[in-house]
Amino acid sequence: MTLSTKNLVVNPGAKLGPVSTDFSTNTPPQGWVVSGTFTGVTYAAGGPSDLNAAHGLALQGGTSYFAGGTSSLAATATQWISVKSMASEIDTGTVGATISGQFGGYPSQDDAMTLIVRFLGANGVSQLGQVTLIGPDHILRGSESTLLLSEDSSAFIHAGTRFIEVTMSANRASGTYNDAYADNIAVDLTGVTTGSVLVAATHSITADTIQTADGVVFDATTDAVATFLSSQFGPTHIALNGRIEGSTNADLLAIKLDATGFSAAQFKFANWTSGPDQLLFTGKALAEAVTGSSQADHFIMAGGADTVAGGSGNNVIDDGAGHDVLRGNAGADEFILATSSASRDHIADFVVDVDDLAVPVSAFGLAQAAGTTLGSAFLNNTTGLAQGAEDRFIYQSTTGKLFFDADGTGAGAAKEIAFLAGAPVLTESDFLLIA
């Protein structure tokens, strides 16, 4: 069976059946089960400051669109689509869905439309997956018109899906009319053998099952964060040598480590600007081994004796608790220090005048402000012992051990917080004070 790309939504633009011809009545759109005052409205009802016939023509929206209606704070329209006839193809895990629509509202109000598409099992209740598109607020819409903005998202359909529930949710933030608008709602299914995970807005994909994807593509209209689990990457999931493609905005690919090992070294990047665009790796309280990419990566590890290796970009490594082995590799890397000797780290390749030892001033109780220097709080000697009350960071140049002493020559003992392999010659300029 060849799956059609025909839109599965019935009456996707309020063109079937009667609609309201003004903003004082409500006419539920044909083919949808509505709550509240959800209505279809003709474009011709609008004046210069409303959606009007000119907008309908420009948007290829035809004669009508959806709105929240005369009074409801919240109004919805829902329909259920059976895909039982496609069960054998869907259960292969190679059927894709593209969900799209046009969304908007009155220019000075934050009334907004949300489209929620849920993939349901054979009982029509069990949810196997979900895609949500959130309409823009008035700032993103602009202040001169109520033009509807197009949004879309693509995903693989979960095996076992037999119904697709499509819900438009109109939410009124101000005013007396629910000016949450939508048009051209679409759910298109296509049989695919591979494809990329499309990120159209900030979204956590950690609960989704992903099969045979060749990468991640950001296609959001604003800065976006996409959150995955490390187990969602691999031979039968998102390819470890897959393409990571950025948009024209700041994109963040966040990967939560749910296994003891992960490497992003083979990721291939396109339209990716290190700095504005980042990879973020977050660990959990296990001994984990993670290797970064060729770009600017940020590592936030938890407890456990971790092994972290950055790629060739400028990396930030926040090791967390545990005795970790850290290697920045090429690039100007930032190693964030922790106060506890239980977090003592082995920094394998610190390069003076290139890499930085980052010191959170509040965590260490320093009087200096972020962005300033340690000054007399840094001491380099051969004993690793404080020599004055002001000494806080004492570097034992013969061993590469870095100590923190909260009270200098006071009664409190110094704690070893890091070991720098090769005992590089540290100076005050190798420390970066951060908030």
Side-chain angles (χ1 to χ4, degrees):
M1 176 179 179
T2 300
L3 296 180
S4 171
T5 58
K6 179 182 177 181
N7 185 8
L8 299 180
V9 176
V10 175
N11 195 16
K15 309 303 184 290
L16 299 179
V19 296
S20 295
T21 57
D22 55 45
F23 298 111
S24 61
T25 59
N26 305 301
T27 305
Q30 183 175 310
W32 297 84
V33 177
V34 306
S35 70
T37 56
F38 200 98
T39 185
V41 185
T42 176
Y43 279 100
S49 62
D50 303 303
L51 281 179
N52 53 49
H55 292 136
L57 182 63
L59 294 164
Q60 297 181 333
T63 58
S64 308
Y65 63 98
F66 301 107
T70 57
S71 61
S72 294
L73 286 172
T76 64
T78 301
Q79 64 177 254
W80 292 266
I81 303 165
S82 173
V83 290
K84 291 181 180 179
S85 63
M86 308 174 191
S88 60
E89 287 78 15
I90 288 172
D91 289 349
T92 66
T94 61
V95 175
T98 299
I99 294 91
S100 60
Q102 293 171 307
F103 307 94
Y106 199 78
S108 61
Q109 298 174 1
D110 277 335
D111 299 359
M113 188 75 77
T114 299
L115 177 66
I116 303 169
V117 176
R118 300 171 64 227
F119 303 104
L120 307 177
N123 62 4
V125 176
S126 301
Q127 179 173 316
L128 304 179
Q130 177 175 309
V131 173
T132 301
L133 298 182
I134 301 174
D137 61 22
H138 80 276
I139 296 174
L140 295 176
R141 292 196 297 255
S143 59
E144 297 181 359
S145 72
T146 53
L147 283 174
L148 298 165
L149 300 182
S150 298
E151 295 189 29
D152 63 76
S153 181
S154 295
F156 285 99
I157 304 297
H158 294 266
T161 296
R162 298 296 180 264
F163 298 92
I164 300 175
E165 179 189 87
V166 181
T167 300
M168 288 181 284
S169 179
N171 295 286
R172 174 164 63 89
S174 57
T176 58
Y177 191 89
N178 189 329
D179 294 293
Y181 304 148
D183 202 349
N184 295 328
I185 304 301
V187 176
D188 301 313
L189 299 190
T190 305
V192 294
T193 57
T194 188
S196 296
V197 178
L198 184 67
V199 178
T202 292
H203 183 53
S204 176
I205 305 129
T206 55
D208 294 347
T209 300
I210 301 172
Q211 296 181 332
T212 321
D214 59 12
V216 177
V217 175
F218 285 83
D219 190 30
T221 56
T222 59
D223 298 350
V225 179
T227 305
F228 295 84
L229 298 175
S230 61
S231 60
Q232 292 175 307
F233 294 81
T236 59
H237 303 296
I238 304 173
L240 286 168
N241 62 349
R243 176 186 177 92
I244 310 298
E245 182 173 341
S247 67
T248 56
N249 303 290
D251 304 311
L252 175 62
L253 175 60
I255 299 176
K256 294 184 175 181
L257 303 174
D258 63 337
T260 56
F262 182 78
S263 174
Q266 298 184 66
F267 281 177
K268 300 178 177 64
F269 292 86
N271 300 325
W272 195 265
T273 305
S274 287
D277 299 327
Q278 282 195 2
L279 266 71
L280 170 64
F281 301 91
T282 56
K284 56 183 180 179
L286 292 174
E288 297 160 321
V290 57
T291 300
S293 72
S294 60
Q295 304 298 311
D297 300 331
H298 191 164
F299 302 85
I300 302 178
M301 309 308 291
D306 303 315
T307 301
V308 178
S312 56
N314 300 332
N315 305 300
V316 176
I317 303 177
D318 186 349
D319 63 284
H323 299 306
D324 305 318
V325 177
L326 313 178
R327 183 180 295 275
N329 287 319
D333 303 311
E334 181 179 318
F335 300 89
I336 300 180
L337 299 175
T339 60
S340 172
S341 58
S343 299
R344 182 180 72 250
D345 296 318
H346 179 124
I347 302 176
D349 63 344
F350 188 86
V351 180
V352 298
D353 298 327
V354 176
D355 299 330
D356 287 310
L357 297 171
V359 179
V361 292
S362 58
F364 280 90
L366 300 183
Q368 294 92 329
T372 62
T373 62
L374 282 176
S376 60
F378 174 71
L379 176 66
N380 186 333
N381 64 22
T382 60
T383 65
L385 301 175
Q387 295 179 354
E390 72 279 7
D391 297 336
R392 294 294 179 270
F393 292 87
I394 303 99
Y395 180 62
Q396 188 175 22
S397 59
T398 54
T399 64
K401 294 180 179 180
L402 179 66
F403 298 88
F404 173 67
D405 196 324
D407 61 355
T409 52
K415 298 179 290 186
E416 183 183 348
I417 58 173
F419 169 76
L420 282 67
V425 181
L426 289 188
T427 65
E428 178 194 348
S429 64
D430 292 311
F431 291 82
L432 175 68
L433 271 59
I434 61 175

